[in-house]
Amino acid sequence: MGQFKVHRVRFFDFMPSGIRCMAFNSKADRLALARLDGSVEIFNFSNNYFQEKVIPGSDSRSIEAICWVGCDRLFTAGLNGEVVEYDLERLCPKYTLDAFGGPIWTAACNSEETHFAFGCEDGSVKLFEILPDKIQFERNLDRQKGRILSLSWHKSGMLIAAGSLDVIRVFDVKSGHSVQRILVDRGSAGTSNKDCVVWNVAFLSDYTIVSGDSAGKVQLWDANKGTLIKTHLVSKWDVLSLSVSENEDSIVAGTSEGTVVQFQLLSPKIGDMETQWVRTRTFKHHTHDVRAVTETRTAVVSGGLDTQLVICPLMDKVEVKSSESVLRKVIFPHRSLVSCAKKPSLLLFQFPDQLELWRLGGTDTIGKPGESLPVTRKPEKLLQLKRKGDDHICCSTISECGHWIAYSTVSSIRLYQLQCDNNNISITKLPKVLRSAHQLQFSADSSKLFVASEQATIHVISLSRSECKHVHTFKPKSGSSAPVHLLAASADGQWLTSANRHCEINVYNLKKLKHHCMVPVYNSLPSAMAIHPETNNLLVTHADQQMFEFGIVDKQYTDWSRKLQKEGLHRCRLKWGTPVTHITFNPQAPSQVILHDTHMFCIIDQSLPLDGLKAQFYSQLTPKDTSETDKPCKNNALKICSKYQPLLHVNLLEDDWLVVVERPLIDIHSQLPAPVKQKKFGT
């Protein structure tokens, strides 16, 4: 595996934002979720639950509701009173409308996808018509006393249920009047003096209204008569979220104590035609408020204040030992937030509102394998660079020499020249042709900056101390406008590769400034890629855990790649639940490839036979080899180390130093607000 000295970095204080709401698109098999910082993430459930797109947040944006229209239109509404439609190609807001009703607490779309309903602070329900290129205000329903906190359309599109304080109202859409007023029980005697907040409502096709409230109740109501059908007390605390399955035979509720409860429409007796709602499952995968739940064909998906997205399989609806039968917890983004300048041993950390530049520490002690060495030179924070404006940072990078730093928001790109001697910073302006970037990458000699911009174009910027100059713009030969999410440049400065959201990988010749070739399209998004510094072979990993090596010069897959697809990876490698986010190579041993995901990193030795991958598996606890005689399988081409986790970055510096950036979950949990107090047995 190789002998490495390890920098174990734990001072990247990355803190994910809590999940506020989510919406699942069954047509596209994609989940959109909004976080408390205003960012929006889209996960492709048919592509190994990969985080396909991220729309950066903004300090001026607050999201309370998120809705899909069709397969490719996404809307949000929030407490700033605005409705936003997003451009899913440019990954930014397409336009913004003011609903003129104060803060918007909830939003819902009818089943025909022709109208939106928005519940506002002033007690109004506002209807907007959905047009092909925008939405347009149509009219208000009767204004009520108190804010509208939850909405749900009946399948017919003629009625809307609205939840508020202590009451549920049913509106006739045609007349705009309230046709039913249902008073909600405030709960036990101890809470009877408090308002009962109806956090969520769901309108079923049989005219049953399901409600979840602050008294911990899930209740079923007859919308025609306004009477209570049944009450389920599921928690001592609030029921914050509700979701109904597509065929209306299952209800999922999330509570403020971190539990998710499922109800199913079942017959109480075998052979009985009469059905009733029965509490069947309780899931406990969260520690804090479950703000959002939804149910897909095979799983219950939940998220909340503890920042993690939990995908819990319904075992009666999935095949045993399939990828859908695994419990998944997504906490960290499926992209790298750390950049490394190898020569000066610098790390650049990306936060939503700032960048931090650190110089790694060091030691003068020589120890034994597996031993922790004392730090003689402590890590040093050289720079804290706060972004300009309200928009969050979407991408950033540092040059190999450590003299250039670049970052982008959805509205601007900024480039800084860094003098590490005295920590002075001088700003260099970019050409006006560049407005924003989806991805940034410096060349190996730090003389060029590659900017992946709109319409899948890549701009080449020449850098010097006195100026920066726009040299060329590459465009994909296919004409695709999908955003580029990965860039990789060769060490000799001749090749540049880009991967976009349509699974296309393009190769450009930097010497001739023209398109060289396109890698055969594979139907899974690339998650990481890198060009070998000696062979100029492109190594690509995909979201479905597949790996390919493409010879750029020969314009075809290498023999090693073909053999890899024939033999397959070791079964332990296929158990990784998160995608590979970074690939690098060992300059001391060119045949070794180092790649990592959140849970482990591995080294693949391309000089060893792939038959060894089917042999006895050798898992190392430390990246330091044991003696040759003690190795159980020294010919195994795949070595895995799972000692360090969760991993945000792994890279190889000079002099056999391996830098490992961790973010322990206990550090994240310590920064969360205290959960609701729960009585535990024996206390």
Side-chain angles (χ1 to χ4, degrees):
M1 182 174 182
Q3 297 183 357
F4 303 109
K5 295 172 286 186
V6 179
H7 283 286
R8 193 171 188 177
V9 175
R10 290 190 170 187
F11 46 79
F12 180 23
D13 296 328
F14 172 71
M15 185 64 192
S17 183
I19 297 173
R20 179 61 190 92
C21 52
M22 65 176 64
F24 183 71
N25 190 326
S26 58
K27 300 174 185 176
D29 205 21
R30 282 166 171 78
L31 177 82
L33 64 85
R35 294 189 179 268
L36 296 176
D37 63 357
S39 62
V40 175
E41 300 170 7
I42 299 176
F43 291 82
N44 190 335
F45 274 35
S46 60
N47 196 2
N48 203 26
Y49 305 94
F50 185 64
Q51 189 184 61
E52 190 176 63
K53 297 177 181 178
V54 177
I55 300 174
S58 172
D59 291 348
S60 60
R61 190 187 310 145
S62 171
I63 299 177
E64 290 291 316
I66 187 167
C67 295
W68 287 98
V69 173
C71 294
D72 55 358
R73 297 184 70 182
L74 187 65
F75 296 82
T76 63
L79 298 183
N80 57 0
E82 294 178 340
V83 182
V84 181
E85 183 176 4
Y86 294 92
D87 188 326
L88 299 184
E89 294 290 331
R90 296 174 57 201
L91 301 182
C92 63
K94 187 176 180 180
Y95 62 85
T96 301
L97 292 177
D98 196 323
F100 295 103
I104 300 174
W105 290 93
T106 182
C109 179
N110 63 356
S111 58
E112 292 84 7
E113 298 184 342
T114 59
H115 287 82
F116 265 124
F118 297 101
C120 301
E121 175 75 17
D122 63 358
S124 64
V125 177
K126 298 181 178 292
L127 296 184
F128 280 73
E129 184 183 4
I130 301 174
L131 302 176
D133 57 345
K134 62 178 181 178
I135 61 172
Q136 181 176 288
F137 175 75
E138 188 171 280
R139 59 193 173 91
N140 289 328
L141 304 185
D142 286 351
R143 181 175 295 183
Q144 307 297 316
K145 184 179 180 182
R147 60 176 67 125
I148 305 296
L149 295 170
S150 52
L151 289 172
S152 181
W153 289 76
H154 187 262
K155 194 173 183 179
S156 65
M158 303 303 296
L159 298 173
I160 296 177
S164 188
L165 296 179
D166 295 326
V167 66
I168 300 171
R169 293 181 175 87
V170 180
F171 290 92
D172 183 282
V173 175
K174 188 175 182 179
S175 66
H177 300 314
S178 173
V179 296
Q180 193 66 260
R181 183 173 182 269
I182 303 172
L183 292 177
V184 180
D185 183 18
R186 292 189 173 186
S188 59
T191 60
S192 59
N193 59 338
K194 298 180 180 179
D195 291 331
C196 184
V197 182
V198 182
W199 290 116
N200 270 277
V201 291
F203 212 149
L204 306 185
S205 56
D206 64 353
Y207 293 91
T208 299
I209 297 175
V210 186
S211 66
D213 57 44
S214 59
K217 306 186 302 295
V218 173
Q219 294 183 303
L220 298 132
W221 307 86
D222 187 323
N224 294 320
K225 300 178 181 178
T227 56
L228 178 65
I229 300 174
K230 193 168 185 178
T231 297
H232 295 273
L233 184 62
V234 299
S235 173
K236 295 180 180 179
W237 307 93
D238 298 45
V239 175
L240 296 173
S241 50
L242 275 179
S243 178
V244 179
S245 62
E246 198 169 4
N247 54 4
E248 297 186 356
D249 62 351
S250 175
I251 298 172
V252 180
T255 70
S256 59
E257 59 185 1
T259 57
V260 177
V261 181
Q262 184 185 23
F263 299 89
Q264 290 179 280
L265 192 61
L266 302 172
S267 300
K269 297 180 181 179
I270 298 177
D272 194 350
M273 297 299 294
E274 185 180 351
T275 58
Q276 58 182 334
W277 289 100
V278 180
R279 179 173 175 172
T280 54
R281 294 185 179 98
T282 300
F283 308 101
K284 179 64 176 175
H285 299 299
H286 296 275
T287 58
H288 291 68
D289 297 358
V290 180
R291 297 286 187 89
V293 292
T294 189
E295 186 175 346
T296 69
R297 182 181 56 84
T298 59
V300 172
V301 186
S302 56
L305 202 58
D306 62 1
T307 77
Q308 62 182 348
L309 175 69
V310 177
I311 304 168
C312 184
L314 298 173
M315 300 308 295
D316 56 332
K317 297 183 179 181
V318 299
E319 295 182 11
V320 180
K321 295 185 179 180
S322 67
S323 60
E324 294 180 332
S325 64
V326 180
L327 174 68
R328 298 172 185 266
K329 295 184 178 181
V330 182
I331 303 175
F332 300 101
H334 292 171
R335 68 190 194 283
S336 182
L337 298 176
V338 182
S339 301
C340 179
K342 297 181 180 180
K343 293 180 181 179
S345 298
L346 300 178
L347 291 179
L348 182 69
F349 299 144
Q350 177 183 318
F351 297 88
D353 59 341
Q354 66 182 25
L355 301 176
E356 287 185 1
L357 183 65
W358 287 75
R359 178 185 286 129
L360 292 171
T363 182
D364 299 326
T365 307
I366 300 176
K368 298 178 181 179
E371 183 181 357
S372 296
L373 303 179
V375 177
T376 55
R377 297 182 303 277
K378 292 185 177 180
E380 180 184 3
K381 184 195 287 188
L382 301 178
L383 175 69
Q384 181 174 322
L385 185 63
K386 294 190 176 181
R387 52 107 168 100
K388 305 293 183 180
D390 293 336
D391 297 324
H392 292 180
I393 297 173
C394 58
C395 60
S396 62
T397 187
I398 185 171
S399 62
E400 286 284 341
C401 64
H403 292 161
W404 296 92
I405 292 176
Y407 78 85
S408 175
T409 65
V410 296
S411 57
S412 65
I413 300 175
R414 295 189 178 269
L415 175 66
Y416 297 88
Q417 187 177 0
L418 179 64
Q419 301 294 336
C420 293
D421 297 334
N422 50 14
N423 295 341
N424 290 330
I425 298 175
S426 59
I427 300 176
T428 304
K429 294 182 180 179
L430 281 175
K432 293 182 179 180
V433 69
L434 303 181
R435 178 178 173 268
S436 64
H438 297 302
Q439 193 62 251
L440 297 165
Q441 176 77 40
F442 285 101
S443 60
D445 61 358
S446 304
S447 65
K448 294 182 179 66
L449 173 64
F450 308 114
V451 180
S453 189
E454 299 174 3
Q455 303 296 319
T457 57
I458 299 175
H459 303 282
V460 181
I461 309 298
S462 177
L463 304 176
S464 66
R465 290 192 174 183
S466 58
E467 64 175 355
C468 59
K469 182 181 179 182
H470 180 266
V471 176
H472 188 73
T473 298
F474 290 114
K475 296 182 179 180
K477 221 169 186 180
S478 64
S480 172
S481 60
V484 171
H485 67 288
L486 292 176
L487 288 174
S490 63
D492 60 6
Q494 183 173 359
W495 306 107
L496 175 68
T497 60
S498 68
N500 63 33
R501 303 291 182 180
H502 287 170
C503 304
E504 296 177 355
I505 300 176
N506 289 281
V507 182
Y508 302 98
N509 191 320
L510 294 173
K511 301 293 185 183
K512 298 179 179 179
L513 294 178
K514 69 176 186 178
H515 185 273
H516 177 68
C517 68
M518 181 186 291
V519 179
V521 177
Y522 180 67
N523 62 351
S524 179
L525 277 171
S527 63
M529 65 181 185
I531 300 176
H532 196 283
E534 293 186 5
T535 64
N536 275 340
N537 291 335
L538 175 66
L539 193 69
V540 184
T541 59
H542 293 264
D544 64 352
Q545 312 292 355
Q546 291 297 321
M547 184 188 307
F548 298 92
E549 187 182 45
F550 183 80
I552 292 178
V553 177
D554 298 332
K555 300 183 181 181
Q556 64 180 1
Y557 289 121
T558 63
D559 294 337
W560 183 85
S561 180
R562 297 178 191 277
K563 192 172 183 180
L564 176 66
Q565 294 305 311
K566 183 179 179 180
E567 301 289 342
L569 291 171
H570 194 280
R571 60 183 181 276
C572 292
R573 169 66 182 85
L574 296 175
K575 290 181 180 179
W576 294 15
T578 56
V580 173
T581 55
H582 187 259
I583 301 173
T584 190
F585 302 95
N586 186 355
Q588 305 299 325
S591 63
Q592 292 183 355
V593 183
I594 303 173
L595 55 158
H596 79 90
D597 73 344
T598 305
H599 302 298
M600 62 188 81
F601 76 87
C602 79
I603 295 181
I604 298 177
D605 195 329
Q606 294 179 309
S607 65
L608 295 178
L610 285 174
D611 294 340
L613 296 177
K614 295 182 178 179
Q616 179 184 357
F617 185 69
Y618 178 37
S619 177
Q620 284 192 206
L621 293 178
T622 69
K624 185 89 171 174
D625 265 351
T626 56
S627 64
E628 292 292 329
T629 57
D630 294 335
K631 290 183 181 179
C633 185
K634 62 182 180 181
N635 290 325
N636 198 337
L638 175 67
K639 305 293 192 304
I640 284 180
C641 178
S642 56
K643 177 180 179 180
Y644 311 103
Q645 56 178 295
L647 289 173
L648 295 184
H649 190 72
V650 175
N651 213 329
L652 195 59
L653 307 178
E654 295 184 346
D655 301 325
D656 291 335
W657 275 101
L658 190 73
V659 59
V660 175
V661 181
E662 297 176 280
R663 183 57 172 153
L665 296 181
I666 190 171
D667 293 344
I668 293 178
H669 295 158
S670 65
Q671 297 185 36
L672 295 173
V676 295
K677 188 175 180 180
Q678 301 181 46
K679 174 70 175 177
K680 294 186 177 180
F681 178 76
T683 60

